[in-house]
Amino acid sequence: MKEIIKINLDNEMDLILAHKRCMKIAEMCGMPSSFQTRFSTAVSEVARCAIAKGKDSLLVLGINIVKVTKKEIVAIIIDAEDLKTCSPEAFNYASKISGQIEYKYFKNQSTTRISQPVLSPGLLSEAKIKGFIDYFKFEPPLSPYDEIRKKNIELIALSEKLTESENKYKQLANTIPVLICVMNERSNVLLVNESLEHYLELPLLIFDRKSLNNFVHPDDIDGLLEGWNRAKKNRIDYIGEARIKNKSNYIWHLVSITPNKTEDGSFNSWLVYFVDINAQKMIVETLKDNTELKAIQRELEGANSKLRFKNKELEQFAYIASHDLQEPLRKIMIMLSRAGEHLSEDEKKKYYFDRITLAAGRLSNLITDVLNYSRIENKEQYFAEVDLNEVISEVLNDLSLVIEEKNAVINVSLMPKVLGLDTQLRQLFYNLINNALKFNAGQPIVKVSFGDVPADDNLVTAVENYEVISIADNGIGMDNKYSDRIFDMFQRLHERDQYGGNGIGLALCRRIIENHNGMINFSSKPGEGTIFWIYLPKKNFKV
């Protein structure tokens, strides 16, 4: 139970306050006036007994959530005396008014529980219940005179409110998208809501074969009449299905016939509900003959299996091709070096030795990058805890010569620990920090931060499940129109003679991030630097 308010029951003023609080909670839960009065009066009767004959009495008012579709207002009166023994008349009267009262006396403490079901549980959200608590916390105190005066006004207007409530329920019955009618024992229709009236487009006066022929499918009439006669004979509910005609089409409906009881328990009428279930019926029928869809699903599963096998083959091919190409290329570069030892500078220029050597070097770098890309695979590896502080420290040590040469300033904040593959994460940060140093026309300033989240980044919906790391630089930047290209293989945004590289580094970064079930994004402007945002799942978050 979610507690709303507590009231100590010491004197008559507390009794007035208890009555007021009960009425207010019932009102805020959408209770009709008659239910408000019944609940509040039942609570007041027991509270009056506690004030007169009890000891250390306490009233707790709250909301009990039995389940999503069932919620109730609850009043619990705790006392050190056996209240029911002290005043059985008060409890009998409270039971008569409420009908939902429970009492127990155990270990010198009595507990009286009075409840009232909420008529519209779906409207009573967690936020609304919290609003109740805030309301009573800040509500100003009321004088006894004002309280009594308000109660007198409510009692005088009770009959008017009951009439108004009846009109509201009638209006509700007319507006809900459920077809409703009321009939008596002789099958005479007493009342039809507007939804049914508009649906049939003709009056429904009697629930018999002749009338049903006008709007019920011929194959469903016998079953519907048999169910009605059986329900009428045995005083039980009937639930069945029938196709109801709407203009020229028959629509499946769930038909419920329920006895309507009076206060003394006798039957005076029957409620008939028609609920549209056509969509559900179509789904059921579709699933019954869904062999073609199942065949397509099996075909897709087979195709996916073949695709995974082909991807594995391609990865193996890329690895073997890159590895086998390195050896002859290494021999070519050695031969070029030895041949060049016996040539003059003019002869080297004549035979394009410098260009051949540079081209061979670029080819070697390209093969190395492709080889690294093909190795980024984590299916047969196990994630372990990786301290990113150690990873970045090692990366900066590897790049120390470049940092010293460019007089770069590197600022790194305290990094988190994540689950991942140490080697791949080192490769990730090496490529991104190296790019920040490379693509810079002046003195590089690189900032590696943890915890900052871009305000306009819609890449991640639940950012609280990720460790967010940014790498910002003051380099040459790039246009955001290239955002769809920079993570692709062999994509270069600058001429080779301006900045080196083969256009594989960022593709490698994206693949590493995907292997770690994370995401990567960037923001940049030409001449204003670039910020890369890395999202790695937290250790306690399973994707």
Side-chain angles (χ1 to χ4, degrees), residues 315 372-384 419-425 427-428 507-520 535-537 543:
E315 290 171 3
N372 289 335
Y373 188 83
S374 68
R375 285 171 174 166
I376 300 300
E377 179 60 52
N378 71 337
K379 291 180 181 177
E380 297 180 358
Q381 301 184 62
Y382 296 96
F383 281 10
L419 289 178
L421 302 171
D422 181 88
T423 305
Q424 290 188 15
L425 291 174
Q427 224 171 353
L428 168 71
L508 192 69
C509 291
R510 181 172 67 176
R511 190 164 183 190
I512 292 172
I513 289 290
E514 289 172 351
N515 277 355
H516 287 75
N517 299 310
M519 281 156 282
I520 185 169
Y535 299 84
L536 293 172
V543 293

Side-chain angles (χ1 to χ4, degrees), residues 275-529:
V275 181
D276 188 340
I277 58 169
N278 200 63
Q280 294 93 311
K281 290 288 287 187
M282 294 301 102
I283 292 172
V284 171
E285 293 299 322
T286 302
L287 291 176
K288 284 181 180 177
D289 299 318
N290 206 14
T291 54
E292 183 179 351
L293 182 60
K294 290 178 180 177
I296 294 173
Q297 187 176 3
R298 287 194 295 270
E299 186 178 339
L300 285 173
E301 289 174 355
N304 284 335
S305 178
K306 290 179 181 178
L307 183 61
R308 286 193 294 269
F309 179 75
K310 290 295 181 185
N311 282 338
K312 191 68 177 178
E313 283 187 331
L314 286 172
E315 290 171 3
Q316 291 174 350
F317 170 77
Y319 176 79
I320 293 170
S322 302
H323 184 270
D324 291 350
L325 284 172
Q326 282 283 22
E327 190 57 32
L329 182 62
R330 192 178 294 110
K331 291 180 179 177
I332 291 172
M333 295 179 72
I334 291 172
M335 292 178 184
L336 281 171
S337 177
R338 290 179 179 176
E341 292 176 356
H342 305 289
L343 297 176
S344 64
E345 291 299 322
D346 291 338
E347 288 175 324
K348 287 181 181 180
K349 290 179 181 179
K350 179 180 178 182
Y351 297 113
Y352 303 105
F353 256 71
D354 291 341
R355 293 187 183 182
I356 295 172
T357 303
L358 288 174
R362 284 197 300 269
L363 182 56
S364 177
N365 291 336
L366 179 59
I367 292 171
T368 300
D369 288 343
V370 171
L371 184 61
N372 289 335
Y373 188 83
S374 68
R375 285 171 174 166
I376 300 300
E377 179 60 52
N378 71 337
K379 291 180 181 177
E380 297 180 358
Q381 301 184 62
Y382 296 96
F383 281 10
E385 185 180 77
V386 179
D387 189 341
L388 294 184
N389 294 290
E390 296 178 3
V391 169
I392 295 175
S393 177
E394 292 171 1
V395 167
L396 295 180
N397 187 54
D398 293 341
L399 292 169
S400 58
L401 293 177
V402 180
I403 294 171
E404 184 178 348
E405 178 185 342
K406 292 203 167 190
N407 196 26
V409 178
I410 313 291
N411 296 312
V412 182
S413 66
L414 187 64
M415 291 289 118
K417 295 179 181 179
V418 298
L419 289 178
L421 302 171
D422 181 88
T423 305
Q424 290 188 15
L425 291 174
R426 188 180 293 109
Q427 224 171 353
L428 168 71
F429 284 98
Y430 180 91
N431 285 346
L432 292 175
I433 296 174
N434 187 44
N435 280 355
L437 297 171
K438 181 196 301 181
F439 296 105
N440 198 305
Q443 180 190 20
I445 300 176
V446 183
K447 183 179 181 182
V448 185
S449 304
F450 164 61
D452 295 335
V453 179
D456 57 345
D457 194 350
N458 298 320
L459 185 66
V460 178
T461 54
V463 72
E464 65 273 8
N465 294 327
Y466 294 86
E467 307 288 11
V468 184
I469 300 155
S470 62
I471 300 177
D473 63 56
N474 64 335
I476 60 174
M478 54 187 150
D479 199 314
N480 282 328
K481 68 181 181 181
Y482 299 119
S483 59
D484 295 333
R485 289 176 45 195
I486 67 164
F487 294 108
D488 293 338
M489 287 277 285
F490 306 116
Q491 289 296 323
R492 294 178 51 85
L493 305 182
H494 310 90
E495 296 297 329
R496 191 180 301 276
D497 56 357
Q498 288 182 295
Y499 300 97
N502 297 304
I504 295 180
L506 290 179
L508 192 69
C509 291
R510 181 172 67 176
R511 190 164 183 190
I512 292 172
I513 289 290
E514 289 172 351
N515 277 355
H516 287 75
N517 299 310
M519 281 156 282
I520 185 169
N521 201 5
F522 81 99
S523 60
S524 183
K525 287 184 180 180
E528 297 183 15

